Amino acid sequence: MANNTALLPLMIMVVISLVMALAEAKWAESVEARKEATATETVTNLQFYFHDTVSGKNPSAIRVAQAPATEKSPTLFGALLMADDPLTETPDPNSKLVGRAQGLYGSSGKQELGLIMAMSFAFTDGTYNGSTISIFGKNPAMHPVRELPVVGGTGVFRLARGYAIAKTHWFDGSGDAIVGYNVTVIY
Ligand SMILES: *[C@@H]1O[C@H](CO)[C@@H](O)[C@H](O)[C@H]1NC(C)=O
Ligand SMILES: *[C@@H]1O[C@H](CO)[C@@H](O)[C@H](O)[C@H]1NC(C)=O
């Protein structure tokens, strides 16, 4: 009995140092795991065509709001549209559907026609089926080539960041457009 009591401080010290060593190993392990996660980041390039139809009986983008002065503005400043635009494999509207671009875009430039886009590109094909990327940024639609930020994603694209290069493929007086998208995402 007396012997055991004498050993107690020693045992406590052994236990404390064991716990400290374990905690350190755990921390090192989590740093290692984080490093590995960074090392396995994937860079993917996606190419597809965006079909925005504002004219006709079945538009894919409709004006949902505007300011009293919008109609008098040369850039339709203040007009806000809600879109559900098909994304296809080639510029042909009847080519394979790969997803839909759903969200809002509005006229945000008073001097120059410029759009602010807040859209979710939801993919419905192959390995990306059910995954989305979020695009938010300025789209100076009259420039032949624009760059838009990819600010996030879901599914395969969880934690995605990247950029989209948008090039007008076709545009007509009614406002309808077919735009080629080349998106680079890291996730
Ligand atoms: C995409 O996923 C949905 C839901 O899981 C499924 O119904 C559909 O068939 C899939 N489409 C393709 C092209 O794989
Ligand atoms: C798409 O973007 C990638 C990366 O910026 C580039 O390497 C590729 O050439 C582009 N493709 C087209 C068709 O523009």
Side-chain angles (χ1 to χ4, degrees):
M1 200 66 194
N3 263 354
N4 280 351
T5 315
L7 277 175
L8 202 57
L10 185 66
M11 280 167 70
I12 288 172
M13 270 183 67
V14 167
V15 168
I16 287 175
S17 48
L18 250 172
V19 166
M20 279 173 68
L22 274 176
E24 193 152 319
K26 191 121 196 112
W27 183 78
E29 201 177 283
S30 77
V31 169
E32 212 45 54
R34 214 173 314 143
K35 257 195 216 148
E36 207 172 291
T38 314
T40 58
E41 266 188 346
T42 309
V43 181
T44 295
N45 190 244
L46 305 163
Q47 285 173 42
F48 49 81
Y49 288 82
F50 170 102
H51 301 262
D52 191 55
T53 308
V54 293
S55 72
K57 286 206 182 83
N58 189 23
S60 65
I62 54 173
R63 202 184 294 191
V64 293
Q66 64 178 36
T70 295
E71 289 298 346
K72 284 186 222 108
S73 157
T75 59
L76 292 177
F77 181 64
L80 189 62
L81 286 88
M82 181 69 80
D84 182 356
D85 289 344
L87 303 173
T88 63
E89 204 162 59
T90 77
D92 178 354
N94 297 314
S95 65
K96 187 173 169 192
L97 185 75
V98 297
R100 308 195 72 86
Q102 298 172 322
L104 292 162
Y105 65 83
S107 173
S108 59
K110 288 181 84 169
Q111 259 81 56
E112 189 193 19
L113 180 68
L115 306 174
I116 179 78
M117 278 178 69
M119 296 188 102
S120 169
F121 285 20
F123 299 99
T124 53
D125 187 52
T127 45
Y128 307 126
N129 189 8
S131 298
T132 70
I133 55 170
S134 293
I135 294 209
F136 180 80
K138 177 182 165 160
N139 181 355
M142 289 298 121
H143 293 200
V145 181
R146 291 88 70 190
E147 180 181 339
L148 293 155
V150 174
V151 297
T154 66
V156 172
F157 301 122
R158 193 177 281 175
L159 293 176
R161 61 197 192 284
Y163 60 95
I165 302 296
K167 284 185 194 163
T168 304
H169 176 78
W170 173 85
F171 180 74
D172 81 358
S174 67
D176 295 351
I178 300 174
V179 182
Y181 270 81
N182 181 357
V183 183
T184 302
V185 277
I186 302 179
Y187 53 90

